[in-house]
């Protein structure tokens, strides 16, 4: 930040393009390796960003460590063009109340994270955007199913077991998209996904309070009994 304060925006971008930085772990602590030369930033690693080394207890589950509104406030305070561009893209998620009676903390798609079987970590917002893009890009059935599997896994694991409201809020969104994509998803994969929804958004009084989920379920799974 001290370096940055000495440059105009254009000069800072020039410096960032010339100094290559690698984010690494050293003795369980975060570190960076700096070198010179043109480079492209790799995908972000939430474990590194959130100071979670391999032995961290949350690294193999889900977590929520900060409120989106706090991150937005900090970003707004810095008046940084790059951060404004990124937050403009994320604003539809910010403060989102995914179901009417939910607490605002249940709409923290940007900051709700879960570890994945492939060793990566994803936020719910990342998983949802990836799913929506996969749905609209004409990907193969296997690729689309993979995007759904990630969304369902993150929705399930990014909340504590007792946080039924938060989990159902995310799964309702996934179910609505699945209803739209039903013809593109093999029946065997939809049958595999069905129990998760039967145990959550299609269970208890949730369908009575949110009748739309029953309509989405018929669209998504109605042919499985044929």
């Amino acid at each position: 930040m001290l370096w940055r304060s000495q440059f105009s925006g254009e000069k800072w971008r020039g410096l960032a393009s010339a100094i290559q930085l690698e984010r690494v772990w050293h003795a369980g602590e975060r570190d960076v390796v700096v070198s010179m030369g043109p480079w492209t930033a790799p995908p972000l690693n939430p474990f590194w960003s959130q100071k979670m080394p391999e032995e961290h207890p949350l690294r193999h589950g889900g977590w929520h460590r900060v409120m989106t509104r706090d991150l937005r406030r900090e970003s707004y305070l810095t008046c940084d063009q790059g951060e404004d561009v990124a937050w403009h893209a994320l604003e539809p998620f910010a403060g989102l109340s995914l179901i009417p009676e939910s607490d605002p903390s249940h709409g923290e798609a940007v900051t709700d994270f879960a570890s994945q079987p492939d060793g990566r970590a994803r936020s719910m917002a990342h998983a949802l955007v990836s799913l929506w893009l996969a749905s609209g890009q004409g990907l193969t059935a296997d690729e689309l199913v993979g995007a759904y599997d990630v969304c369902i896994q993150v929705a399930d694991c990014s909340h504590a077991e007792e946080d039924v409201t938060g989990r159902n809020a995310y799964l309702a969104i996934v179910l609505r998209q699945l209803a739209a994509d039903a013809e593109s998803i093999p029946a065997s994969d939809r049958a595999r996904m069905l129990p998760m929804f039967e145990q959550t958004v299609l269970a208890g009084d949730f369908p009575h309070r949110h009748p739309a989920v029953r309509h989405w379920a018929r669209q998504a799974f109605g042919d499985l009994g044929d």
Side-chain angles (χ1 to χ4, degrees):
M1 294 299 290
L2 179 61
W3 286 7
R4 188 175 186 172
S5 69
Q6 308 304 306
F7 291 93
S8 65
E10 182 178 354
K11 290 181 178 179
W12 171 250
R13 283 190 291 274
L15 179 66
S17 68
I19 297 181
Q20 180 175 349
L21 184 140
E22 181 183 2
R23 299 178 177 186
V24 299
W25 295 99
H26 178 69
E29 298 291 336
R30 297 188 305 170
D31 206 343
V32 295
V33 176
V34 178
S35 57
M36 300 296 293
W39 65 299
T40 300
L44 292 172
N45 180 352
F47 293 132
W48 193 94
S49 300
Q50 301 191 37
K51 303 180 182 178
M52 297 170 63
E54 183 64 37
E55 66 276 10
H56 197 284
L58 293 179
R59 186 159 178 148
H60 305 289
W63 68 91
H64 173 94
R65 300 176 113 185
V66 63
M67 296 291 287
T68 302
R69 66 187 180 209
D70 294 332
L71 295 180
R72 289 187 72 211
R73 184 166 48 234
E74 293 171 18
S75 176
Y76 200 88
L77 182 67
T78 63
C79 299
D80 177 71
Q81 183 184 56
E83 290 192 26
D84 281 358
V85 169
W87 273 109
H88 182 265
L90 290 173
E91 275 185 343
F93 285 105
L96 179 65
S97 181
L98 298 174
I99 54 179
E101 77 274 20
S102 66
D103 182 270
S105 65
H106 294 311
E108 292 290 302
V110 174
T111 55
D112 283 340
F113 283 83
S115 300
Q116 297 283 283
D118 62 5
R120 297 177 60 190
R122 293 176 175 87
S123 69
M124 195 65 221
H126 186 287
L128 284 171
V129 170
S130 297
L131 173 61
W132 293 329
L133 291 175
S135 177
Q137 288 179 331
L139 301 181
T140 66
D142 286 345
E143 291 171 323
L144 188 55
V145 168
Y148 273 101
D149 285 341
V150 168
C151 258
I152 291 171
Q153 196 271 343
V154 174
D156 184 39
C157 295
S158 61
H159 287 76
E161 185 175 350
E162 64 273 12
D163 186 7
V164 176
T165 302
R167 184 177 298 103
N168 284 358
Y170 291 147
L171 287 172
I173 291 178
V174 179
L175 177 60
R176 183 173 186 176
Q177 187 62 44
L178 183 59
D181 287 332
E183 293 184 359
S184 301
I185 304 294
S188 59
D189 288 298
R190 285 183 286 118
R192 176 174 54 81
M193 298 174 191
L194 177 57
M196 170 59 76
F197 296 102
E198 288 180 326
Q199 297 163 16
T200 54
V201 294
L202 300 177
D205 66 345
F206 191 86
H208 301 289
R209 290 184 287 112
H210 306 283
V213 299
R214 289 181 291 187
H215 174 65
W216 300 334
R218 285 193 295 270
Q219 290 181 309
F221 308 115
D223 64 319
L224 296 184
D226 295 344

Short mmCIF file of all heavy atoms in Angstrom, two decimals, residues 202-225:
data_model
loop_
_atom_site.label_atom_id
_atom_site.label_comp_id
_atom_site.label_asym_id
_atom_site.label_seq_id
_atom_site.Cartn_x
_atom_site.Cartn_y
_atom_site.Cartn_z
N LEU A 202 -37.60 -29.43 0.18
CA LEU A 202 -38.86 -30.13 -0.06
C LEU A 202 -39.37 -30.84 1.18
O LEU A 202 -40.32 -31.62 1.12
CB LEU A 202 -38.70 -31.14 -1.20
CG LEU A 202 -38.29 -30.54 -2.55
CD1 LEU A 202 -38.07 -31.64 -3.58
CD2 LEU A 202 -39.33 -29.54 -3.04
N ALA A 203 -38.72 -30.56 2.32
CA ALA A 203 -39.08 -31.21 3.58
C ALA A 203 -39.72 -30.21 4.54
O ALA A 203 -39.60 -28.99 4.38
CB ALA A 203 -37.83 -31.83 4.23
N GLY A 204 -40.42 -30.74 5.55
CA GLY A 204 -40.99 -29.90 6.58
C GLY A 204 -42.00 -28.91 6.02
O GLY A 204 -42.74 -29.19 5.07
N ASP A 205 -42.02 -27.72 6.63
CA ASP A 205 -43.00 -26.72 6.20
C ASP A 205 -42.45 -25.75 5.17
O ASP A 205 -43.15 -24.84 4.74
CB ASP A 205 -43.52 -25.94 7.40
CG ASP A 205 -42.44 -25.08 8.07
OD1 ASP A 205 -41.23 -25.32 7.79
OD2 ASP A 205 -42.79 -24.19 8.87
N PHE A 206 -41.18 -25.96 4.74
CA PHE A 206 -40.59 -25.03 3.78
C PHE A 206 -41.40 -24.95 2.49
O PHE A 206 -41.67 -23.84 2.00
CB PHE A 206 -39.14 -25.44 3.48
CG PHE A 206 -38.36 -24.41 2.71
CD1 PHE A 206 -37.69 -23.38 3.36
CD2 PHE A 206 -38.30 -24.45 1.33
CE1 PHE A 206 -36.99 -22.42 2.65
CE2 PHE A 206 -37.60 -23.51 0.60
CZ PHE A 206 -36.93 -22.48 1.27
N PRO A 207 -41.84 -26.07 1.89
CA PRO A 207 -42.63 -25.97 0.65
C PRO A 207 -43.96 -25.25 0.84
O PRO A 207 -44.48 -24.65 -0.10
CB PRO A 207 -42.85 -27.43 0.25
CG PRO A 207 -41.84 -28.21 0.99
CD PRO A 207 -41.60 -27.47 2.26
N HIS A 208 -44.51 -25.31 2.05
CA HIS A 208 -45.78 -24.64 2.31
C HIS A 208 -45.58 -23.13 2.43
O HIS A 208 -46.43 -22.34 2.01
CB HIS A 208 -46.41 -25.19 3.59
CG HIS A 208 -46.69 -26.67 3.54
ND1 HIS A 208 -47.67 -27.22 2.75
CD2 HIS A 208 -46.06 -27.71 4.15
CE1 HIS A 208 -47.67 -28.53 2.88
NE2 HIS A 208 -46.69 -28.86 3.72
N ARG A 209 -44.45 -22.74 3.00
CA ARG A 209 -44.14 -21.31 3.11
C ARG A 209 -43.62 -20.73 1.80
O ARG A 209 -43.72 -19.54 1.55
CB ARG A 209 -43.11 -21.08 4.23
CG ARG A 209 -43.67 -21.32 5.61
CD ARG A 209 -42.68 -20.99 6.71
NE ARG A 209 -41.62 -21.97 6.81
CZ ARG A 209 -40.36 -21.73 6.51
NH1 ARG A 209 -39.99 -20.56 6.04
NH2 ARG A 209 -39.44 -22.68 6.64
N HIS A 210 -43.08 -21.60 0.94
CA HIS A 210 -42.53 -21.18 -0.34
C HIS A 210 -43.04 -22.13 -1.43
O HIS A 210 -42.32 -23.02 -1.89
CB HIS A 210 -41.00 -21.18 -0.30
CG HIS A 210 -40.44 -20.36 0.84
ND1 HIS A 210 -40.38 -19.00 0.82
CD2 HIS A 210 -39.96 -20.76 2.05
CE1 HIS A 210 -39.87 -18.56 1.95
NE2 HIS A 210 -39.61 -19.60 2.71
N PRO A 211 -44.30 -21.97 -1.82
CA PRO A 211 -44.93 -22.91 -2.76
C PRO A 211 -44.18 -23.05 -4.08
O PRO A 211 -44.30 -24.09 -4.75
CB PRO A 211 -46.32 -22.31 -2.98
CG PRO A 211 -46.57 -21.45 -1.78
CD PRO A 211 -45.23 -20.91 -1.40
N ALA A 212 -43.42 -22.06 -4.48
CA ALA A 212 -42.73 -22.12 -5.77
C ALA A 212 -41.78 -23.31 -5.84
O ALA A 212 -41.57 -23.87 -6.92
CB ALA A 212 -41.96 -20.83 -6.02
N VAL A 213 -41.21 -23.73 -4.70
CA VAL A 213 -40.25 -24.82 -4.74
C VAL A 213 -40.91 -26.12 -5.20
O VAL A 213 -40.26 -26.96 -5.84
CB VAL A 213 -39.52 -25.01 -3.38
CG1 VAL A 213 -38.76 -23.77 -2.99
CG2 VAL A 213 -40.48 -25.45 -2.30
N ARG A 214 -42.18 -26.29 -4.89
CA ARG A 214 -42.87 -27.51 -5.34
C ARG A 214 -43.03 -27.49 -6.86
O ARG A 214 -42.90 -28.53 -7.52
CB ARG A 214 -44.23 -27.62 -4.66
CG ARG A 214 -44.14 -27.96 -3.17
CD ARG A 214 -45.47 -28.09 -2.51
NE ARG A 214 -46.16 -26.79 -2.42
CZ ARG A 214 -47.30 -26.59 -1.77
NH1 ARG A 214 -47.90 -27.61 -1.17
NH2 ARG A 214 -47.83 -25.39 -1.72
N HIS A 215 -43.29 -26.31 -7.42
CA HIS A 215 -43.38 -26.19 -8.88
C HIS A 215 -42.04 -26.47 -9.52
O HIS A 215 -41.96 -27.21 -10.52
CB HIS A 215 -43.86 -24.77 -9.23
CG HIS A 215 -43.85 -24.48 -10.69
ND1 HIS A 215 -44.66 -25.14 -11.60
CD2 HIS A 215 -43.09 -23.60 -11.43
CE1 HIS A 215 -44.43 -24.68 -12.82
NE2 HIS A 215 -43.48 -23.76 -12.74
N TRP A 216 -40.97 -25.93 -8.96
CA TRP A 216 -39.63 -26.18 -9.51
C TRP A 216 -39.28 -27.66 -9.41
O TRP A 216 -38.66 -28.22 -10.32
CB TRP A 216 -38.59 -25.35 -8.76
CG TRP A 216 -38.84 -23.87 -8.85
CD1 TRP A 216 -39.49 -23.20 -9.84
CD2 TRP A 216 -38.45 -22.89 -7.90
NE1 TRP A 216 -39.53 -21.85 -9.57
CE2 TRP A 216 -38.90 -21.64 -8.38
CE3 TRP A 216 -37.77 -22.93 -6.68
CZ2 TRP A 216 -38.68 -20.44 -7.68
CZ3 TRP A 216 -37.54 -21.75 -5.99
CH2 TRP A 216 -38.00 -20.52 -6.48
N ALA A 217 -39.67 -28.29 -8.31
CA ALA A 217 -39.38 -29.72 -8.13
C ALA A 217 -40.09 -30.56 -9.19
O ALA A 217 -39.51 -31.52 -9.71
CB ALA A 217 -39.79 -30.16 -6.73
N ARG A 218 -41.33 -30.21 -9.51
CA ARG A 218 -42.05 -30.96 -10.54
C ARG A 218 -41.36 -30.82 -11.89
O ARG A 218 -41.26 -31.78 -12.66
CB ARG A 218 -43.49 -30.46 -10.64
CG ARG A 218 -44.39 -30.93 -9.49
CD ARG A 218 -45.84 -30.67 -9.80
NE ARG A 218 -46.16 -29.24 -9.89
CZ ARG A 218 -46.54 -28.49 -8.87
NH1 ARG A 218 -46.65 -29.04 -7.66
NH2 ARG A 218 -46.80 -27.22 -9.03
N GLN A 219 -40.87 -29.60 -12.18
CA GLN A 219 -40.16 -29.39 -13.44
C GLN A 219 -38.83 -30.14 -13.46
O GLN A 219 -38.42 -30.67 -14.51
CB GLN A 219 -39.92 -27.90 -13.65
CG GLN A 219 -41.17 -27.09 -13.94
CD GLN A 219 -40.85 -25.62 -14.15
OE1 GLN A 219 -40.18 -24.98 -13.34
NE2 GLN A 219 -41.32 -25.08 -15.26
N ALA A 220 -38.16 -30.18 -12.33
CA ALA A 220 -36.83 -30.80 -12.28
C ALA A 220 -36.88 -32.31 -12.20
O ALA A 220 -36.02 -33.00 -12.77
CB ALA A 220 -36.05 -30.24 -11.07
N PHE A 221 -37.87 -32.85 -11.50
CA PHE A 221 -37.88 -34.29 -11.20
C PHE A 221 -39.15 -35.01 -11.62
O PHE A 221 -39.28 -36.22 -11.40
CB PHE A 221 -37.66 -34.50 -9.69
CG PHE A 221 -36.47 -33.80 -9.13
CD1 PHE A 221 -36.61 -32.78 -8.20
CD2 PHE A 221 -35.19 -34.15 -9.53
CE1 PHE A 221 -35.52 -32.13 -7.68
CE2 PHE A 221 -34.07 -33.52 -9.01
CZ PHE A 221 -34.23 -32.49 -8.08
N GLY A 222 -40.10 -34.31 -12.22
CA GLY A 222 -41.41 -34.88 -12.49
C GLY A 222 -41.39 -36.09 -13.41
O GLY A 222 -42.30 -36.93 -13.36
N ASP A 223 -40.36 -36.22 -14.23
CA ASP A 223 -40.31 -37.35 -15.17
C ASP A 223 -39.62 -38.58 -14.59
O ASP A 223 -39.58 -39.63 -15.24
CB ASP A 223 -39.56 -36.92 -16.44
CG ASP A 223 -38.11 -36.59 -16.16
OD1 ASP A 223 -37.83 -35.94 -15.12
OD2 ASP A 223 -37.24 -36.95 -16.97
N LEU A 224 -39.09 -38.48 -13.39
CA LEU A 224 -38.29 -39.59 -12.87
C LEU A 224 -39.13 -40.81 -12.51
O LEU A 224 -38.61 -41.93 -12.46
CB LEU A 224 -37.51 -39.14 -11.63
CG LEU A 224 -36.47 -38.04 -11.85
CD1 LEU A 224 -35.71 -37.76 -10.58
CD2 LEU A 224 -35.52 -38.43 -12.98
N GLY A 225 -40.43 -40.61 -12.31
CA GLY A 225 -41.28 -41.76 -11.97
C GLY A 225 -41.89 -42.41 -13.18
O GLY A 225 -42.60 -43.40 -13.06
#
